[in-house]
Amino acid sequence: MTSKPTIGFAGLGAMGFGMATHLLSQNYPVTGFDVYQPTLDKFQSAGGVPATTLAASAKDKAYYIVMVATAQQAQSALFDTDAIVDNLPQNAVLILCSTVPSAYAKSVQKELSARGRDDIAFIDAPVSGGAIRAADGTLSIMAGASDSAMEKGKWLLEELSAPSKLFIVQGGVGAGSNMKMAHQVLAAIQILSTSEAYGFAARLGLNGQEVRDKVVGGKGWSWMFENRSLRTLTQDYFPGASAVGIIMKDTGIITSTSRLLSYPTPLVTAAEQVYFSAADRGYTPNDDAGLVRLWTETPVTDIQSTLSDQEKSDRLDLVVQLLTAIHLVSAAESIAFADHVGLPLQQLYELASEAAGGSAMFKEFGPRMIEVLEGRGEDVKIGSHLDGLKSAVEEAQKIKCPLFLGGAALNVLLAAGKGGEVGLKGLLGLYTVS
């Protein structure tokens, strides 16, 4: 019987721990490093081999996975004296699964070469799916690398991803990170749109459970709404499952890249400002489903409606109209940005539709947007969504309820229409940079 190769692993946070223990469940020996000793103890109890230094975790490991939180952490773990790269054997496969800027992923490849380690097969492979899917080995993975590196490391990516959820992105190192960035445009907007919708609903006197019942399964649905609303309804924020600091970091990657490329990302930029406001209130380590506290301190399930059935129906419709318009503009922002950085748009659509960035609007309008950008589609009028958003924003103005994304989306759609009827061509045209 052929023994399976030992895998080195750095970064045993929620996602990393799930990935590493999944490999253990598949009978791979895994040596893991983390700066937090209780996590190492837990990893040892799960059958892993804990390493107290990065050097020990990398020594003699032909395959190594890095799943730390930031590019700064990755740089230190990889290249500090006697860290990972100094201790990997010749011809090792190195996989960076952290969400980092594309420019950073490319810099890793350059630094490996500068240090005389061109023998290392480097793969830029950010992941999506959350801790549960990490532990199940059903992640979505966006991977970019040279053909030779991908050939050596693809089997390991397949072990960690769901069938059909390993996306090999053409373009080499950096392309995987760009694909994750385009996906996170959707995630960054739709995490906040969930709380904005609940906050608006609370100000309208609507009970949170009734809002969820109305949205899930309808036009206002997004994966983020369905997922985060469960924690919003139970106030499961401390620490919850996905900290505000995580999406704030990812949002920063998008906005810094957009500035570098002189490219507009108005909704993500608006979302980032709200995340900063949340950070000022001390919410950074709390679950991002708790952003609704920016609108209401009253738990949304405690709100008792005194509205008539017709009033309740009309106000629930306003919440849905807010969400559908935001999700429509977020789809345009993501797809157009992906086009700008040269990503395969159909691949983005396939990835995001069934991942955390998915929404009913993305699924409906994504293919039409791609056709327009590729010059083969007819224009699609979207004035009804503009009208619905106007109604929501006007009602919010009456009750003095802040709609950060709603206001930004309204301005985008108004600019796209230029005073006339708004269509997808006009919307996407706002994002076209010659």
Side-chain angles (χ1 to χ4, degrees), residues 134-158:
D136 290 343
T138 57
L139 290 168
S140 296
I141 301 181
M142 296 135 271
S146 67
D147 291 344
S148 59
M150 193 63 70
E151 184 178 353
K152 293 179 68 175
K154 184 179 178 182
W155 69 269
L156 183 50
L157 299 175
E158 289 173 339

Side-chain angles (χ1 to χ4, degrees), residues 25-284:
S25 74
Q26 300 304 302
N27 299 316
Y28 290 94
V30 182
T31 299
F33 172 82
D34 196 90
V35 295
Y36 189 51
Q37 184 60 47
T39 295
L40 283 179
D41 295 340
K42 182 181 175 184
F43 181 64
Q44 184 173 23
S45 297
V49 177
T52 56
T53 66
L54 285 164
S57 72
K59 185 174 175 58
D60 300 325
K61 306 301 186 300
Y63 299 92
Y64 200 99
I65 297 171
V66 177
M67 190 55 188
V68 295
T70 67
Q72 292 78 8
Q73 290 178 8
Q75 182 69 11
S76 176
L78 289 169
F79 296 114
D80 279 359
T81 300
D82 207 28
I84 294 169
V85 169
D86 286 344
N87 289 279
L88 287 177
Q90 285 288 305
N91 302 311
V93 174
L94 173 63
I95 303 175
L96 179 60
C97 291
S98 307
T99 298
V100 299
S102 174
Y104 176 70
K106 292 177 181 178
S107 78
V108 171
Q109 184 80 75
K110 291 177 182 177
E111 189 158 354
L112 288 171
S113 181
R115 289 171 177 250
R117 293 305 309 264
D118 281 325
D119 61 287
I120 293 175
F122 176 58
I123 302 176
D124 161 38
V127 304
S128 178
I132 293 175
R133 285 178 57 190
D136 290 343
T138 57
L139 290 168
S140 296
I141 301 181
M142 296 135 271
S146 67
D147 291 344
S148 59
M150 193 63 70
E151 184 178 353
K152 293 179 68 175
K154 184 179 178 182
W155 69 269
L156 183 50
L157 299 175
E158 289 173 339
E159 288 281 8
L160 296 166
S161 58
S164 79
K165 297 301 182 186
L166 172 57
F167 296 89
I168 308 300
V169 187
Q170 296 304 308
V173 167
S177 286
N178 269 339
M179 184 65 83
K180 178 65 184 290
M181 179 184 69
H183 176 272
Q184 292 306 94
V185 168
L186 299 164
I189 296 167
Q190 287 158 199
I191 283 172
L192 182 58
S193 72
T194 298
S195 281
E196 184 161 301
Y198 270 117
F200 182 39
R203 300 284 188 95
L204 291 172
L206 296 168
N207 178 271
Q209 184 61 55
E210 291 177 333
V211 173
R212 188 177 196 273
D213 293 343
K214 176 69 175 182
V215 171
V216 173
K219 291 282 189 179
W221 174 87
S222 70
W223 188 95
M224 286 296 183
F225 186 97
E226 183 169 0
N227 178 268
R228 295 314 199 259
S229 62
L230 294 173
R231 299 199 289 278
T232 303
L233 295 178
T234 58
Q235 299 91 57
D236 180 14
Y237 309 146
F238 312 106
S242 188
V244 171
I246 296 173
I247 192 59
M248 186 165 63
K249 182 263 294 185
D250 290 0
T251 303
I253 291 173
I254 298 163
T255 57
S256 62
T257 302
S258 75
R259 290 192 296 272
L260 181 67
L261 299 177
S262 298
Y263 190 84
T265 52
L267 262 65
V268 174
T269 301
E272 183 175 51
Q273 300 308 305
V274 182
Y275 293 141
F276 290 163
S277 295
D280 284 343
R281 295 192 180 200
Y283 292 176
T284 302

